[in-house]
């Protein structure tokens, strides 16, 4: 028997029901842990998020979040509300996409290029991005590894709908939106002198060559070049992925920088070592699409990627 005495969605004092905007903001705050980060993801002001949450909490009669100087944390009611809100939001967004282009949603996948060297294990990250974003967006998402120049050509030719890049992509005809940042770690062979250390410093790395895959120059500009600017004194070994292995690599003296190693993992015969705090750089991860109407919905895709919990 249905209980009509207490509505599932309480009305506020002005007679309005809980709205989808409030539901969206609750999910964003739960994902990111602060009103400001949620506002940035949703493309609105912090004041708009704060006002929407105050109105929702007033209608519920209890707070959803405890406000602290370091961010916010959900109350028991907030956690329970967020579980239901997530299901509602996923269905709502799927309905919006279907209503805007039902035939395209049913048949056409998003085609994404991921501009990153093909480190062993990075295929797991590609599959994870494809699966999670596809589930959230309610649409198939095909992701392939591309060199940056190749990816930019594919974007301009319409062969991909967007690019995920390590570092900001600067081009006049491209809109580049930060998704977050990731830490960069060091990948070394098991018998490398630094493999036995729990953490490494830039000073310790100075005695060993660093790999610089030239056909992923954009990735290197965002990672290796930034470490060189910070004071890294390693010899740079330039090569193209797919070419013969450079002699220092064959001697197993080289190291390389790798990101999201917690997802990709170390290939057989290698270990991942973090840099000490103060030496480690946070690397931006960005979503790039062509400027103009009809492009990929940055907000929706960024929201989908945030479910991966890969980015800070």
């Amino acid at each position: 028997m249905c209980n009509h005495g207490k509505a599932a969605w309480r009305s506020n004092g002005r007679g309005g029901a809980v709205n989808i905007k409030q539901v969206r903001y609750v999910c964003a705050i739960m994902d990111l842990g602060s009103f400001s980060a949620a506002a940035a993801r949703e493309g609105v002001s912090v004041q708009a998020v704060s006002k929407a949450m105050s109105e929702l909490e007033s209608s519920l009669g209890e707070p959803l979040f405890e406000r602290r100087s370091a961010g916010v944390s959900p109350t028991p009611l907030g956690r329970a509300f967020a579980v239901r809100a997530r299901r509602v939001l996923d269905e709502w967004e799927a309905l919006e996409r279907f209503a805007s282009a039902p035939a395209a949603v049913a048949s056409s996948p998003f085609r994404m290029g991921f501009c990153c060297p093909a480190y062993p294990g990075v295929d797991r990250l590609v599959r994870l991005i494809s699966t999670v974003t596809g589930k959230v967006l309610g649409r198939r998402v095909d992701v392939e590894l591309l060199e940056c120049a190749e990816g930019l050509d594919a974007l301009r030719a319409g062969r991909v709908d967007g690019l995920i890049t390590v570092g900001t992509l600067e081009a006049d005809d491209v809109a580049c939106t930060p998704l977050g940042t990731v830490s960069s770690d060091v990948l070394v062979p098991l018998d490398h002198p630094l493999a036995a250390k729990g953490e490494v410093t830039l000073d310790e790395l100075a005695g060993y060559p660093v790999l610089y895959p030239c056909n992923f120059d954009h990735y290197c500009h965002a990672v290796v070049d930034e470490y060189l600017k910070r004071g890294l004194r390693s010899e740079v070994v330039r090569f193209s992925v797919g070419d013969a292995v450079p002699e220092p690599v064959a001697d197993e003296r080289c190291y390389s920088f790798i990101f999201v190693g917690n997802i990709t993992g170390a290939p057989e015969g290698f270990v991942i070592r973090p840099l000490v705090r103060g030496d480690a750089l946070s690397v931006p991860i960005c979503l790039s699409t062509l400027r103009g109407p009809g492009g990929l919905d940055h907000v929706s895709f960024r929201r989908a990627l945030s479910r991966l919990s890969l980015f800070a």
Side-chain angles (χ1 to χ4, degrees), residues 177-202:
T177 302
L179 298 171
T181 60
V182 292
S183 61
S184 50
D185 301 316
V186 175
L187 182 71
V188 296
L190 279 172
D191 57 357
H192 194 284
L194 297 179
K197 299 185 66 67
E199 296 179 318
V200 296
T201 67
L202 292 183

Side-chain angles (χ1 to χ4, degrees), residues 90-255:
D90 287 346
E91 289 299 322
W92 178 264
E93 290 177 343
L95 180 61
E96 282 187 319
R97 288 187 295 274
F98 183 82
S100 63
V105 170
S107 61
S108 176
F110 281 134
R111 301 156 302 167
M112 300 300 301
F114 187 18
C115 299
C116 169
Y119 291 121
V122 79
D123 56 318
R124 288 196 293 273
L125 180 57
V126 168
R127 289 195 300 270
L128 187 61
I129 292 173
S130 177
T131 300
V132 173
T133 56
K135 182 177 180 181
V136 173
L137 294 172
R139 187 171 171 184
R140 198 176 92 212
V141 177
D142 294 337
V143 182
E144 63 174 319
L145 286 176
L146 296 171
E147 297 177 17
C148 192
E150 178 187 13
L152 196 51
D153 287 343
L155 182 64
R156 287 168 172 158
R159 295 192 299 273
V160 296
D161 300 302
L163 297 175
I164 301 171
T165 61
V166 182
T168 303
L169 183 60
E170 296 181 358
D172 291 340
D173 57 342
V174 170
C176 186
T177 302
L179 298 171
T181 60
V182 292
S183 61
S184 50
D185 301 316
V186 175
L187 182 71
V188 296
L190 279 172
D191 57 357
H192 194 284
L194 297 179
K197 299 185 66 67
E199 296 179 318
V200 296
T201 67
L202 292 183
D203 286 340
E204 289 169 333
L205 291 174
Y208 306 97
V210 59
L211 293 178
Y212 194 110
C214 297
N215 45 342
F216 286 91
D217 57 338
H218 180 78
Y219 173 87
C220 290
H221 294 334
V223 184
V224 183
D225 286 351
E226 288 303 313
Y227 274 106
L228 292 171
K229 291 177 186 176
R230 175 164 284 207
L232 178 67
R233 300 187 304 278
S234 293
E235 173 195 357
V236 176
V237 178
R238 299 176 183 270
F239 73 106
S240 292
V241 175
D243 289 353
V245 178
E247 184 177 341
V249 181
D251 292 343
E252 297 186 330
R253 293 186 292 111
C254 272
Y255 69 92

Side-chain angles (χ1 to χ4, degrees), residues 272-296:
I272 296 172
R273 292 292 177 256
L275 282 152
V276 297
R277 190 171 184 176
D279 282 355
L281 288 173
S282 292
V283 182
I285 302 295
C286 300
L287 173 64
S288 297
T289 58
L290 290 180
R291 296 186 184 276
L296 185 66

